[in-house]
Amino acid sequence: MAPRKGTLLGETDFPLYCAHALGQHHFVVCGGGGQAKTGVPNAFEVFELANEHNQVVASSVIKYDKLDRAIMNSATVSDGKNHILAAGLEQDCQVYLLKHKVCTRKPEDKNELTTRKRRSNLTQSEEHKNAEKVITFDVDLVKTVQTDFDGDGGFQKVVRLSYDKTLLLTGGADGFLRIWNYPKMTKAHEIEAHDGEIEDLDISPSGNRIVTVSSDKHAYVWVTKDGSKHCELQWTKKTQTPYRYKACRYGGIEGNKEKCNLYTCHIPVKRGRKPTPCYISQWDSTKLVPRKIVDTGPEVISAFAVSDTGDYLGLGMISGSVAVYISFSLQRLYYVKEAHGIFITDVEFLSSSDSTRAITGDQDFSLLSISVDKQMRLHQVSARGRFNFLWVLVGFVVMVYFLFATLASYGF
């Protein structure tokens, strides 16, 4: 039986703001204590997943803390082995290359790893004890670029990388969408997109469209090639109170990146005494009209993610709760109340590959949630649970059939 609040994978020594799966066996978390010299580091840390005694565990592989500010937003993309990490530190974007490396573990490394695992409430298997080779990463700072120029002090709020690794997109406090050529980080387009802060943005799997959402209550779709405005999204839900867009994501259909849906999250502009619901919407990515809009309840959405197959939507709430929805129907599949003691800063689905599932088990999904409480929790729903329910239902039908057959034989 899964823990009531999800599986605690471990804790870091710095507040967490963003998380990303790195390939099939690793994930990275980013955050920090900020510029104030409180002793809380600004860092990102890579963890390796493993299965020990039928339980998913995570062990720290590398921690990079040579930062003078906290990472508040980030994005990653992989070339199959190495990973690009784009990190937002106030008005700047720093791009790192995480280079995959296999090295031999020294005896003192084993002791250090054991200490880290004990601090994170993790266990150590015989496989790890006897291993001579470990996977780690070399970290190179590739580039630092200022990406936001707001007059009150620039602040990058979101960054994305295109699937083909040729473009980097940023948005922030000054309302500009900036499209950068990667890896040179030369500016391709600078678009005065919104009157308010850009809250979120995403690029389509094909790379030809970009969507931005803002605190100004508008959402626009842009043409990547020339930076022109394609259209404004028209949300059709009739509400008594004003709403704004919180997040946006493209998601593949049935694992096909050539076909995709667009998803958006909506929260009330103001919170009144009477709780008002939040919503998620599924859009036709070609016609750009809403297909489905679903009420997710009064808990305010603070984080949003789409699984790599496009089958599931993950939500994190200001209350610390976590929910997962089936993407095509927008039906809620999973919910845990107050998984974290404070607001959730990010959620991230782990890979659905066979290699990852060999570690995480036969699950519908594996969703990572993080918070400023420094905890990393894993949420799962067993795929077998659905089949078990079907067998129970079939068994019930068979019992009813035999009951009526028996009664009929006695003339009832």
Side-chain angles (χ1 to χ4, degrees):
M1 183 176 179
R4 185 175 64 87
K5 293 188 176 183
T7 300
L8 178 63
L9 290 179
E11 298 183 31
T12 61
D13 60 351
F14 55 94
L16 301 174
Y17 293 103
C18 30
H20 304 282
L22 293 181
Q24 299 175 344
H25 299 158
H26 297 82
F27 66 88
V28 60
V29 291
C30 313
Q35 291 194 56
K37 296 180 179 180
T38 59
V40 179
N42 300 305
F44 61 83
E45 191 164 4
V46 177
F47 290 83
E48 182 179 10
L49 295 163
N51 190 300
E52 298 178 355
H53 310 295
N54 294 321
Q55 182 178 355
V56 182
V57 297
S59 57
S60 178
V61 172
I62 185 172
K63 178 182 175 183
Y64 185 89
D65 58 3
K66 301 175 183 179
L67 304 171
D68 59 352
R69 292 159 291 174
I71 298 175
M72 303 299 292
N73 52 87
S74 60
T76 60
V77 70
S78 172
D79 63 5
K81 180 176 288 188
N82 300 322
H83 303 275
I84 302 163
L85 170 66
L89 292 82
E90 298 184 354
Q91 75 275 14
D92 296 330
C93 182
Q94 293 189 344
V95 181
Y96 294 88
L97 183 62
L98 309 184
K99 296 185 292 186
H100 182 276
K101 183 175 71 172
V102 178
C103 62
T104 303
R105 180 186 297 155
K106 299 177 182 179
E108 58 267 28
D109 293 333
K110 289 185 179 182
N111 296 331
E112 180 183 351
L113 182 59
T114 303
T115 302
R116 283 183 178 179
K117 287 187 176 183
R118 188 180 298 115
R119 183 181 68 232
S120 299
N121 195 27
L122 304 174
T123 60
Q124 189 175 17
S125 67
E126 290 298 320
E127 290 85 353
H128 278 90
K129 288 180 181 178
N130 298 328
E132 295 182 356
K133 303 290 185 179
V134 293
I135 298 174
T136 184
F137 297 88
D138 285 333
V139 179
D140 288 341
L141 175 59
V142 178
K143 201 85 171 180
T144 300
V145 177
Q146 183 173 349
T147 62
D148 195 86
F149 300 87
D150 185 65
D152 295 329
F155 193 88
Q156 176 183 294
K157 297 199 71 173
V158 57
V159 57
R160 292 284 179 268
L161 286 152
S162 62
Y163 286 86
D164 63 4
K165 300 175 285 295
T166 62
L167 297 175
L168 185 145
L169 319 171
T170 60
D174 65 5
F176 278 76
L177 165 64
R178 293 181 173 90
I179 304 174
W180 308 80
N181 295 307
Y182 184 84
K184 293 183 178 180
M185 292 303 292
T186 55
K187 198 181 299 178
H189 301 290
E190 185 173 52
I191 306 161
E192 192 172 357
H194 292 274
D195 293 330
E197 297 180 350
I198 294 179
E199 293 286 341
D200 200 10
L201 64 83
D202 201 12
I203 185 168
S204 64
S206 65
N208 64 342
R209 293 289 185 268
I210 298 167
V211 60
T212 59
V213 302
S214 168
S215 59
D216 65 7
K217 297 181 283 188
H218 294 285
Y220 299 114
V221 178
W222 308 88
V223 179
T224 307
K225 185 176 180 179
D226 59 11
S228 62
K229 184 187 293 185
H230 179 66
C231 71
E232 179 174 0
L233 296 180
Q234 300 294 336
W235 196 50
T236 55
K237 181 69 178 178
K238 303 298 182 182
T239 61
Q240 295 181 345
T241 57
Y243 277 73
R244 66 182 179 90
Y245 295 87
K246 172 62 179 175
C248 58
R249 288 290 185 279
Y250 284 99
I253 299 175
E254 298 178 350
N256 184 354
K257 290 185 178 181
E258 298 301 319
K259 299 179 181 179
C260 65
N261 288 323
L262 173 64
Y263 303 94
T264 54
C265 298
H266 312 259
I267 63 174
V269 173
K270 294 182 180 180
R271 299 291 292 176
R273 293 183 179 180
K274 184 179 179 180
T276 49
C278 294
Y279 296 91
I280 50 176
S281 301
Q282 179 199 95
W283 302 72
D284 183 312
S285 64
T286 302
K287 299 178 181 179
L288 294 171
V289 293
R291 284 203 192 104
K292 295 184 180 71
I293 301 174
V294 170
D295 176 344
T296 62
E299 294 176 287
V300 178
I301 298 169
S302 58
F304 183 53
V306 180
S307 65
D308 59 354
T309 59
D311 294 333
Y312 302 104
L313 311 178
L315 297 179
M317 319 294 186
I318 286 180
S319 60
S321 301
V322 173
V324 174
Y325 285 74
I326 300 171
S327 63
F328 76 90
S329 64
L330 297 190
Q331 291 181 324
R332 193 170 77 180
L333 177 64
Y334 174 89
Y335 173 79
V336 57
K337 185 176 179 61
E338 297 176 357
H340 295 263
I342 196 170
F343 65 94
I344 289 176
T345 49
D346 204 3
V347 289
E348 171 77 351
F349 285 97
L350 299 180
S351 170
S352 60
S353 69
D354 291 340
S355 181
T356 303
R357 291 169 70 88
I359 297 172
T360 58
D362 184 19
Q363 310 293 332
D364 272 348
F365 62 83
S366 295
L367 179 71
L368 180 68
S369 66
I370 61 168
S371 170
V372 292
D373 65 6
K374 307 177 185 179
Q375 293 184 352
M376 304 171 293
R377 291 187 175 274
L378 185 65
H379 308 270
Q380 298 177 305
V381 165
S382 173
R384 297 176 183 177
R386 293 183 299 170
F387 294 105
N388 288 344
F389 173 77
L390 289 176
W391 280 116
V392 170
L393 182 61
V394 170
F396 175 76
V397 171
V398 171
M399 289 176 61
V400 171
Y401 172 80
F402 278 109
L403 175 62
F404 277 97
T406 303
L407 291 175
S409 67
Y410 284 99
F412 289 97

